[in-house]
Amino acid sequence: MALEEKERIIIPDENGEEHLFEVLFTFDIDETEQSYIAVVPVEQKDDEEVEVYAFRYEEKEKDDNDLSLFPIESEQEWEIVEEMLNTLANEEEDEK
């Protein structure tokens, strides 16, 4: 099942504490066959500036909603994600 916008997910931190995040968007990169997700903490989403987190993800099972999240480590991956975030931010500015 593909994620839909405004879906919420729980992500544990390095201490095992769970945090609720709202999904901003997901996207796939055809050349690398990788999928990415951008999320914001729910408790911050109404703030003026929010911290956006991005991960590479894989769906665990076709019939399941579980995702495996992986940190983005390469400079090339970060550039791709930043470009998508900038595009999204520009689209939101244009709507105002």
Side-chain angles (χ1 to χ4, degrees), residues 1 5 14 34 51-52 59 72 75 80 91 96:
M1 175 181 157
E5 286 187 350
E14 61 274 356
Q34 301 291 333
E51 191 165 354
V52 176
E59 293 185 39
I72 297 173
E75 193 67 34
I80 292 167
E91 287 175 3
K96 291 182 181 180

Side-chain angles (χ1 to χ4, degrees), residues 4 7 10 13 33 42 44 48 51 53-54 56-58 67 73 81 84 87-88 93 95:
E4 296 183 18
E7 185 171 345
I10 296 172
D13 64 16
E33 297 182 1
V42 168
Q44 288 185 11
E48 182 91 6
E51 191 165 354
Y53 296 88
R56 183 173 51 82
Y57 77 91
E58 295 174 5
L67 301 176
E73 297 173 342
V81 171
M84 288 300 293
T87 299
L88 178 68
E93 283 293 317
E95 290 175 6

Side-chain angles (χ1 to χ4, degrees), residues 11-19:
I11 302 174
D13 64 16
E14 61 274 356
N15 300 322
E17 292 183 42
E18 295 182 339
H19 301 276

Side-chain angles (χ1 to χ4, degrees), residues 3-33:
L3 291 172
E4 296 183 18
E5 286 187 350
K6 305 305 178 199
E7 185 171 345
R8 292 182 173 188
I9 62 173
I10 296 172
I11 302 174
D13 64 16
E14 61 274 356
N15 300 322
E17 292 183 42
E18 295 182 339
H19 301 276
L20 185 61
F21 289 84
E22 186 169 287
V23 176
L24 290 177
F25 61 89
T26 61
F27 65 98
D28 299 318
I29 303 298
D30 293 334
E31 303 89 60
T32 61
E33 297 182 1

